[in-house]
Amino acid sequence: MQVAGFIFLTRNWQKDETVLKEALDYYCQLKYTPQILLFPEGTDYCKDSKPASDRYAKKNDLLIYDYVLHPRTTGFNYIVQHLIKCDMIDAVYDVNMGYPEGIPINGEVDILNGRFPGEVHTKIRRYPISSLPTTDKDIQEWCLQRWMEKEETLRKFYEDDRKFVNDTCVDSPGGDTPLEGKSCRQRSNPIFLYLSLVYWLVFLLVSLYFLYAYSLARWFFLVVCVFYAVQGLLRDGIDQLIVSCFRS
C-alpha cells in the first residue's frame, strides 16, 4: 500500500494536513489524476464507534444518527479544495451500500464460518465539481447534508423492503448535472472468497518453505524487513520516501 501511494493518516490534523498536502502535490506534479476513496467518518460503524459518534453529535448540537456515523469534514474540504486548485477533479461520487441479508464481514473468521453478505446493494450519485460550493464553510456544510441524506436513505432501505430506489444496474454518465437515483444490486459468489483464502494459505506455506530451505530467501526477507522498519522510523514509510525523492 505504501508503494502504491496510499495516503496514511493519524487522525491528528496538524500531522495529517502536511501528509495530505505532500501527497496531493505529488499527484498534481505528476499530472496523475487520482481516484481517492474517502471515509469522512474515519472508521467503520461498530459497537465502539457508534457511542463516540453520538457523543460528538451531542457536543456539537447535531442529530443522533442510527445508520451512519457523523463525518469529520476538515479532510474532505481540504482534498476537494486542493484538487480544484490543481484542476485534478471533475466529480465527487456519493456511495451508499446496503446489505439486505446481513452486515459486512468483520474478519477472516467470519468468512470461514460462512458469515458474509450474500447480496450487496449500491446506490451512487455523481456530483460534478461545478455543482459544489466554493467556500470552505459551504463545502463542509455540503458534506454534512450528504450524510443527512445517507441516514434517511439507509433508514428507508432497512425499514422498508431493503431496496434502494430504482434498484437496477445503470451505467453512470458524465455531464454537468447530478446523477439521481441510480443503483445496483449484485449477488456475491462465495467461491471467490474461499479461493482467495486458499491462495493466501498456499502462498504462506510456500514462503515458509523457502525461508526454511534457502538461506538466500532468509537474507532477502531480513533485508526487506529491516529496510521497511527503518523507513517507517525515519520517514513514516516508503510512500514518504518516494515523495521526498520526487521533490528533491
Side-chain angles (χ1 to χ4, degrees):
M1 293 172 69
Q2 292 179 16
V3 173
F6 281 59
I7 302 175
F8 292 87
L9 303 177
T10 63
R11 301 182 191 175
N12 180 330
W13 182 242
Q14 290 183 333
K15 296 180 179 179
D16 291 342
E17 182 179 10
T18 301
V19 173
L20 277 174
K21 182 181 185 306
E22 291 181 350
L24 296 175
D25 283 344
Y26 175 63
Y27 296 148
C28 292
Q29 292 176 39
L30 285 178
K31 299 299 180 183
Y32 170 75
T33 304
Q35 294 179 329
I36 298 178
L37 180 61
L38 178 67
F39 296 86
E41 309 98 316
T43 185
D44 60 341
Y45 190 108
C46 63
K47 64 179 181 180
D48 295 325
S49 59
K50 180 63 168 63
S53 178
D54 292 346
R55 290 193 297 270
Y56 175 82
K58 292 178 181 179
K59 180 180 178 181
N60 293 276
D61 196 24
L62 300 172
L63 295 174
I64 301 295
Y65 288 151
D66 296 318
Y67 295 94
V68 295
L69 305 177
H70 275 279
R72 309 303 172 91
T73 58
T74 302
F76 172 78
N77 171 66
Y78 186 88
I79 291 173
V80 170
Q81 293 283 35
H82 201 99
L83 292 179
I84 287 176
K85 292 177 182 178
C86 298
D87 193 25
M88 296 285 283
I89 182 172
D90 62 350
V92 174
Y93 289 83
D94 179 20
V95 181
N96 294 281
M97 302 187 72
Y99 303 88
E101 299 179 8
I103 62 173
I105 56 176
N106 291 307
E108 290 78 0
V109 175
D110 282 349
I111 297 178
L112 292 173
N113 291 329
R115 293 196 298 265
F116 49 82
E119 186 171 308
V120 179
H121 292 226
T122 306
K123 182 175 182 179
I124 303 174
R125 185 177 183 184
R126 180 184 187 274
Y127 291 91
I129 200 63
S130 59
S131 69
L132 267 67
T134 56
T135 66
D136 292 347
K137 181 179 179 181
D138 289 343
I139 288 180
Q140 293 183 32
E141 182 63 30
W142 183 91
C143 182
L144 293 176
Q145 283 293 125
R146 301 290 76 75
W147 252 253
M148 293 178 65
E149 294 173 4
K150 286 178 180 293
E151 172 72 9
E152 187 61 26
T153 295
L154 292 174
R155 182 185 304 279
K156 291 180 179 178
F157 179 89
Y158 286 108
E159 294 182 359
D160 293 340
D161 57 358
R162 301 208 168 194
K163 291 183 179 180
F164 290 127
V165 177
N166 298 332
D167 209 359
T168 55
C169 292
V170 180
D171 291 334
S172 175
D176 295 323
T177 58
L179 177 63
E180 298 271 10
K182 304 303 182 184
S183 56
C184 179
R185 63 179 183 271
Q186 290 183 320
R187 296 288 304 179
S188 63
N189 190 342
I191 188 65
F192 293 109
L193 295 174
Y194 292 120
L195 285 175
S196 67
L197 287 178
V198 171
Y199 167 81
W200 286 112
L201 178 61
V202 172
F203 178 84
L204 176 62
L205 293 175
V206 171
S207 299
L208 291 175
Y209 170 76
F210 271 86
L211 290 174
Y212 172 78
Y214 301 101
S215 61
L216 182 61
R218 292 194 291 271
W219 278 108
F220 175 79
F221 180 79
L222 178 62
V223 169
V224 170
C225 288
V226 170
F227 177 73
Y228 272 86
V230 171
Q231 286 302 316
L233 293 173
L234 297 180
R235 296 181 178 273
D236 293 328
I238 300 299
D239 53 319
Q240 297 297 307
L241 174 63
I242 294 173
V243 171
S244 298
C245 291
F246 179 80
R247 294 173 59 188
S248 60

